[in-house]
């Protein structure tokens, strides 16, 4: 009897776990992590290969340093810190642009829906126009 209850409990646990895994939000989260990792590599390349050389090449040449990671004073690697700050700012800016574009699309959707709701049916407009015309004719 105890063994049967244990199997039933284990089966219930496994079913609950399967239900949890198959929920859309868990799958969405997994996709977001994978896409986020790929996006992170793109942003890292953008920063290390394009932005950092453009912004910091003059400073690196003035300091007579070939690599940002080699920028240091008394063992303090401020070049690595500077690269991390630039990385953060670029990522934050890209996320800001993405969110801003999504909000703009939502506002546009709301405006389109509101415009669709405001327009009365052509038959209704015609009926209102006839009623107004009848009122004008009666008042004369």
């Amino acid at each position: 009897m105890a063994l049967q209850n244990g199997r039933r409990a284990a089966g219930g646990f496994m079913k609950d776990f399967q239900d949890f895994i198959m929920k859309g939000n868990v799958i969405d989260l997994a996709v977001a992590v994978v896409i986020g990792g790929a996006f992170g590599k793109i942003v890292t390349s953008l920063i290390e290969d394009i932005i950092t050389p453009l912004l910091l090449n003059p400073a690196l040449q003035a300091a007579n340093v070939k690599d940002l990671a080699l920028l240091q004073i008394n063992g303090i690697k401020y070049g690595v810190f500077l690269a991390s700050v630039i990385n953060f700012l670029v990522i934050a800016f890209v996320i800001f642009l993405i969110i801003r574009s999504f909000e703009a699309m939502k506002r546009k959707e709301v405006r389109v829906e509101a415009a669709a709701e405001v327009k009365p049916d052509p038959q209704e407009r015609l009926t209102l126009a006839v009623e107004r015309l009848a009122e004008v004719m009666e008042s004369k």
Side-chain angles (χ1 to χ4, degrees):
M1 180 78 168
L3 182 62
Q4 189 176 14
N5 287 340
R7 285 185 187 152
R8 197 173 306 135
F13 177 80
M14 291 306 288
K15 182 172 179 352
D16 289 345
F17 181 69
Q18 182 181 5
D19 291 345
F20 171 75
I21 291 296
M22 297 310 286
K23 282 186 180 175
N25 54 359
V26 173
I27 294 170
D28 291 344
L29 180 60
V31 169
V33 168
V34 171
I35 295 293
F39 181 71
K41 289 179 183 178
I42 292 170
V43 171
T44 300
S45 175
L46 173 70
I47 292 164
E48 291 176 357
D49 301 331
I50 297 174
I51 293 177
T52 301
L54 284 175
L55 295 178
L56 298 179
N57 266 349
L60 290 174
Q61 289 172 355
N64 203 18
V65 176
K66 294 185 188 257
D67 186 13
L68 187 61
L70 299 175
L71 277 178
Q72 57 183 336
I73 296 177
N74 296 330
I76 298 172
K77 297 180 179 181
Y78 68 92
V80 175
F81 175 74
L82 185 59
S84 296
V85 169
I86 292 170
N87 192 359
F88 169 77
L89 290 174
V90 170
I91 291 171
F93 184 68
V94 168
I95 291 172
F96 167 75
L97 291 176
I98 290 170
I99 291 172
R100 189 169 179 186
S101 65
F102 281 133
E103 288 175 351
M105 285 189 300
K106 282 184 182 179
R107 282 193 301 266
K108 186 177 180 181
E109 267 183 28
V110 168
R111 277 187 259 137
V112 168
E113 289 173 2
E117 291 176 9
V118 172
K119 290 183 180 179
D121 183 38
Q123 183 67 32
E124 186 178 325
R125 290 177 62 193
L126 183 59
T127 303
L128 290 172
V130 169
E131 289 173 359
R132 277 188 265 142
L133 184 58
E135 288 174 8
V136 169
M137 296 301 278
E138 287 177 6
S139 65
K140 286 188 177 183

